Amino acid sequence: MLGPLPHQPDWHELRATVLAWAEQGFHLVRTARTLHVHRNTLVYRLRKIERLLGRDLRDHRNALALHLACLVPEANSEPGKRS
């Protein structure tokens, strides 16, 4: 699901954007406020993700799948977990 995203130089920023967007109920204004960025910056990042993945993030299935895929690295880094 992540495709080329982890290979982008700004991967950590893109991942944080997706996680914050999901945590804020996929609400643009609340997410921008949480990330301390302008709403247009958030829209730019989400469009970049859409372009790289070739998926429409306005489709809730794509947005949810992307969110879950972004959570996987976090789960694998928990203490006591084996990779």
Side-chain angles (χ1 to χ4, degrees), residues 9-35:
D10 57 349
W11 160 237
H12 295 290
E13 184 176 83
L14 295 175
R15 181 176 178 266
T17 298
V18 170
L19 294 174
W21 185 46
E23 290 166 7
Q24 294 303 318
F26 303 101
H27 189 274
L28 292 177
V29 174
R30 287 193 309 242
T31 305
R33 196 175 306 134
T34 297
L35 293 172

Side-chain angles (χ1 to χ4, degrees), residues 29 31 34 45 50-51 53 58 60-61 63-64 68-69 71 78:
V29 174
T31 305
T34 297
R45 290 180 189 173
E50 285 181 325
R51 180 178 45 81
L53 294 178
R58 291 171 294 186
H60 67 279
R61 294 168 295 197
L64 184 57
L68 293 174
L71 288 175
E78 289 180 23

